Amino acid sequence: PGYYGFKGLAVILQTLTEMFVETKILTTNLCAPQSSSQYLAQVLVPETAIRLIAEDFDNISLEAAKNIMVDSVEFGQYVHDD
């Protein structure tokens, strides 16, 4: 998730798992044809990261936040490595 790196990925994934999987809000039927873990990783984590980046930059547009996320992947991997 961009400049949040692997550590940010782990935190976001754990938080979303607690919020949606452990509470059974996100079910297999809602994620089909993906599993809930695939849906979290491929849809909810990137969307969460984009929205967090938008907030970090004083509520810039989601498109601008997405560009920052994509452009900052290497930075995040370097700075927030496991």
Side-chain angles (χ1 to χ4, degrees), residues 3-4 51-61 64-65 68:
Y3 65 77
Y4 296 116
R51 292 175 183 276
L52 288 172
I53 291 168
E55 284 184 21
D56 287 349
F57 284 83
D58 293 324
N59 296 314
I60 60 174
S61 73
I68 290 170

Side-chain angles (χ1 to χ4, degrees), residues 33-67:
Q34 296 175 308
S35 68
S36 58
S37 61
Q38 288 173 322
Y39 186 78
L40 283 173
Q42 296 174 5
V43 177
L44 294 183
V45 168
E47 188 63 30
T48 299
I50 289 169
R51 292 175 183 276
L52 288 172
I53 291 168
E55 284 184 21
D56 287 349
F57 284 83
D58 293 324
N59 296 314
I60 60 174
S61 73
L62 296 179
E63 187 64 33
K66 181 179 179 182
N67 290 336

Side-chain angles (χ1 to χ4, degrees), residues 1 3-14 45 52 76 80 82:
Y3 65 77
Y4 296 116
F6 294 117
K7 287 181 182 177
L9 171 64
V11 171
I12 293 169
L13 192 56
Q14 179 61 39
V45 168
L52 288 172
H80 302 290
D82 274 8

